[in-house]
Amino acid sequence: MTDDLALDIQDLHVSFPTRAGLIRAVDGVSLSLARGKTTCVVGESGSGKSVTARAILQIVDPPGRITGGRILLRRVGEPELDLATLHPRSRAIRELRGHDVAMIFQEPMSSLSPIHTVGDQIGEAVRLHLGLSNRQARARVVELLAQVEIPDPTRALDRYTFEFSGGMRQRVMIAMALACDPSVLIADEPTTALDVTTQAEILDLLRRLQDARGMTVMFITHDMGVVAEIAHDVVVMERGQVRERGKVRDLFAAPQDPYTRMLLGNVTKLERPSAIRLARPKPPERPPVLSLQDVEMRFSSGKGLFKRNATEVRAVDGISLDVRAGETLGVVGESGSGKTTLGRCILRVVDPTGGAIRYRRRDGSVVDLATAQGEALRTARCEIRMVFQDPFASLNPRMTVAQIVGEPLLVNGLAKGAELRDRVSALLERVGVAPDWAERYPHAFSGGQRQRIGIARALALSPRVIVADEPTSALDVSIRARMLDLLLELQDELDLAFILISHDISVIRYMCDRVAVMHRGRVVETGETLQVCDDPQHAYTKALLSAVPRPDPEARRMHLRHRYAAE
């Protein structure tokens, strides 16, 4: 036994029995966690990295189970313990969870109880494992919330999770995981749902807590930029197996496995503008197809039946932007910046409370979408379509692909019968989905294929403008570049105008001609994409760009990033 290993996984197998046969989610995985270091386990969806992590704590979702291998926990001064031999519901594994090995889950909103206060949830863990009284547990919770830098921890422990932002909820999850001073911390995609500045804060917090406590961290991610920023060691997984392992600098400098080279290649591809975009001429000086002037969207919030003490929230605060046919305008900002609300205003999902949204139709006439009603609004909505963020939630699971793609044509009376089938087949073929699959349901497709189906649906009515709200954030990096290339090819073919909403700077740099940076409902900077990315002028833009992790372990810089103090 070596004292420098905190956890040693040897030839681990985890299988899921199904009617179609046995699925080997983890197929002979061996990896070690060096004591006090961060080991990043990286791979795409379905690689088995999360199942491996859950197997350590014996929380694999049924009917999955460990079918072979060893998971050796090595505690200083104690005999090694094979966690794979413990029953998932045994007292022994329950005592280990949180005390010796703790886990931070990907989505804090689904992992935390909405009906219990933060203090109750964290306090339960310390009472069970440490045997503290209610008063002692409360004091311990306040201490933990202070350690994870939650403001006013004495008041925060009596609040509910829905009262916190995404970043604050993730801090609560970290506090809960650290409640019993575990020696090993497993972090399963803890920053995937966060914008870049919040992600940088969480990664910086984890680094400081690890240094202070001497923890061993197993960090699961598909983001190679995060890997380059925080890892000491890297394990690359694909289809339940380890493809490559090594020190982070060695792996990035000279990856040996073709799969690792593919992952890194797709990441570095998004570090520069798309070749498709660079090859095309800049959009000519044509009249804007869409022109926003002083658009506002205000919400009132308050307590009580008549909303006494109501406060006004300016989600969109006087925005003016233009977009031309054949052009992609990127709208970038953190969560809460108002970018998605702006997209909803353009589509009239919500009614703007001020300003004008002038849309120039094919015949040259102009309609103000902010006030349009009836037939004028219905016609405009046919020509301005949306691609949604989540390809899983945006497709009706009870409809076939043919029904999903054909529905806009059917509802608007544009096609039926054989003509409808032919047009659906042509749309699917255009986005790279085999027309033979038209009678399948969404669950039969991968995430990338589902997003292609969503794009086909958006194209069904031959739109002139597409609002794409985080269209690649739910996709793996290898699929992300292909999806953006598809959108650019369709733009060239159909002379489309795109409004691309994203918090991912690399996506904006790759695809967009111009960019508008939003902060608290306002546009703080606009310009040509490369000019804004390479030479930002506004302090907020500088802070946003400095928080983006680069896929280069020799250029770690997030802990030195610019901070923006709002005026």
Side-chain angles (χ1 to χ4, degrees), residues 149-283:
E149 301 173 5
I150 288 182
D152 198 356
T154 305
R155 293 181 61 188
L157 63 81
D158 291 319
R159 296 169 64 190
Y160 294 88
T161 51
F162 59 79
E163 299 181 76
F164 291 86
S165 67
M168 287 295 117
R169 285 196 292 266
Q170 198 59 283
R171 289 173 187 265
V172 170
M173 280 289 297
I174 294 170
M176 185 180 295
L178 300 180
C180 303
D181 291 318
S183 58
V184 177
L185 178 66
I186 301 170
D188 187 3
E189 301 269 14
T191 61
T192 296
L194 306 178
D195 55 61
V196 288
T197 51
T198 308
Q199 171 181 267
E201 290 169 4
I202 295 297
L203 294 176
D204 197 31
L205 172 65
L206 285 172
R207 179 191 285 114
R208 295 199 306 274
L209 290 170
Q210 180 182 22
D211 291 344
R213 293 165 173 255
M215 283 189 306
T216 303
V217 176
M218 177 180 180
F219 196 103
I220 297 167
T221 184
H222 64 264
D223 189 330
M224 298 301 285
V226 169
V227 174
E229 187 69 32
I230 68 169
H232 296 97
D233 302 299
V234 185
V235 176
V236 181
M237 288 186 64
E238 184 198 22
R239 297 182 182 179
Q241 298 181 334
V242 172
R243 296 296 297 263
E244 188 168 357
R245 74 189 83 225
K247 299 294 181 184
V248 63
R249 286 179 169 82
D250 296 338
L251 188 135
F252 272 76
Q256 301 300 306
D257 190 86
Y259 179 73
T260 310
R261 290 198 293 269
M262 182 274 292
L263 284 180
L264 289 171
N266 281 309
V267 172
T268 54
K269 181 178 180 180
L270 292 179
E271 287 287 294
R272 54 187 182 273
S274 162
I276 298 173
R277 182 164 72 82
L278 290 177
R280 68 160 67 131
K282 290 188 176 182

Side-chain angles (χ1 to χ4, degrees), residues 169-481:
R169 285 196 292 266
Q170 198 59 283
R171 289 173 187 265
V172 170
M173 280 289 297
I174 294 170
M176 185 180 295
L178 300 180
C180 303
D181 291 318
S183 58
V184 177
L185 178 66
I186 301 170
D188 187 3
E189 301 269 14
T191 61
T192 296
L194 306 178
D195 55 61
V196 288
T197 51
T198 308
Q199 171 181 267
E201 290 169 4
I202 295 297
L203 294 176
D204 197 31
L205 172 65
L206 285 172
R207 179 191 285 114
R208 295 199 306 274
L209 290 170
Q210 180 182 22
D211 291 344
R213 293 165 173 255
M215 283 189 306
T216 303
V217 176
M218 177 180 180
F219 196 103
I220 297 167
T221 184
H222 64 264
D223 189 330
M224 298 301 285
V226 169
V227 174
E229 187 69 32
I230 68 169
H232 296 97
D233 302 299
V234 185
V235 176
V236 181
M237 288 186 64
E238 184 198 22
R239 297 182 182 179
Q241 298 181 334
V242 172
R243 296 296 297 263
E244 188 168 357
R245 74 189 83 225
K247 299 294 181 184
V248 63
R249 286 179 169 82
D250 296 338
L251 188 135
F252 272 76
Q256 301 300 306
D257 190 86
Y259 179 73
T260 310
R261 290 198 293 269
M262 182 274 292
L263 284 180
L264 289 171
N266 281 309
V267 172
T268 54
K269 181 178 180 180
L270 292 179
E271 287 287 294
R272 54 187 182 273
S274 162
I276 298 173
R277 182 164 72 82
L278 290 177
R280 68 160 67 131
K282 290 188 176 182
E285 289 299 319
R286 315 155 67 170
V289 66
L290 199 65
S291 182
L292 281 63
Q293 297 179 350
D294 298 321
V295 176
E296 293 184 351
M297 186 67 228
R298 303 182 183 186
F299 298 97
S300 62
S301 62
K303 297 179 180 179
L305 181 61
F306 300 104
K307 291 204 171 182
R308 297 186 182 95
N309 304 319
T311 58
E312 187 177 70
V313 177
R314 298 188 176 189
V316 176
D317 190 9
I319 288 184
S320 298
L321 293 170
D322 291 337
V323 61
R324 293 171 172 80
E327 180 183 47
T328 300
L329 172 68
V331 181
V332 66
E334 299 171 285
S335 299
S337 63
K339 57 188 187 297
T340 293
T341 303
L342 178 65
R344 290 171 177 264
C345 289
I346 293 169
L347 290 155
R348 277 293 297 279
V349 176
V350 295
D351 296 330
T353 52
I357 305 172
R358 294 190 172 90
Y359 167 61
R360 185 177 297 274
R361 301 185 60 192
R362 285 190 174 92
D363 60 7
S365 63
V366 176
V367 58
D368 184 0
L369 301 178
T371 57
Q373 300 292 332
E375 182 64 19
L377 180 59
R378 189 191 69 80
T379 303
R381 279 177 169 163
C382 291
E383 298 180 9
I384 304 174
R385 306 294 289 173
M386 190 164 194
V387 176
F388 296 93
Q389 176 176 357
D390 190 342
F392 297 91
S394 60
L395 302 181
N396 190 329
R398 294 178 178 85
M399 295 173 69
T400 65
V401 168
Q403 291 170 330
I404 290 169
V405 176
E407 185 179 35
L409 295 166
L410 194 62
V411 168
N412 287 280
L414 298 177
K416 61 181 180 180
E419 183 186 0
L420 179 63
R421 289 193 295 273
D422 290 344
R423 291 182 67 171
V424 167
S425 295
L427 285 163
L428 291 175
E429 197 166 11
R430 174 174 273 170
V431 299
V433 176
D436 294 347
W437 297 352
E439 296 309 315
R440 297 186 183 184
Y441 289 86
H443 67 78
F445 295 86
S446 67
Q449 289 170 328
R450 292 187 203 194
Q451 196 60 292
R452 288 174 183 267
I453 293 165
I455 294 169
R457 177 178 58 187
L459 295 176
L461 299 177
S462 302
R464 302 180 68 218
V465 179
I466 287 183
V467 179
D469 187 3
E470 303 274 10
T472 62
S473 64
L475 304 178
D476 289 317
V477 66
S478 62
I479 303 170
R480 194 173 300 170

Side-chain angles (χ1 to χ4, degrees), residues 26 40 117 122 444 497 511 525:
V26 178
C40 279
T117 65
I122 303 175
M511 185 170 173
E525 186 166 359

Side-chain angles (χ1 to χ4, degrees), residues 87-101:
H87 191 278
R89 291 189 294 275
S90 67
R91 181 172 181 175
I93 193 68
R94 289 201 307 271
E95 290 178 348
L96 283 166
R97 292 173 187 151
H99 191 274
D100 292 280
V101 183

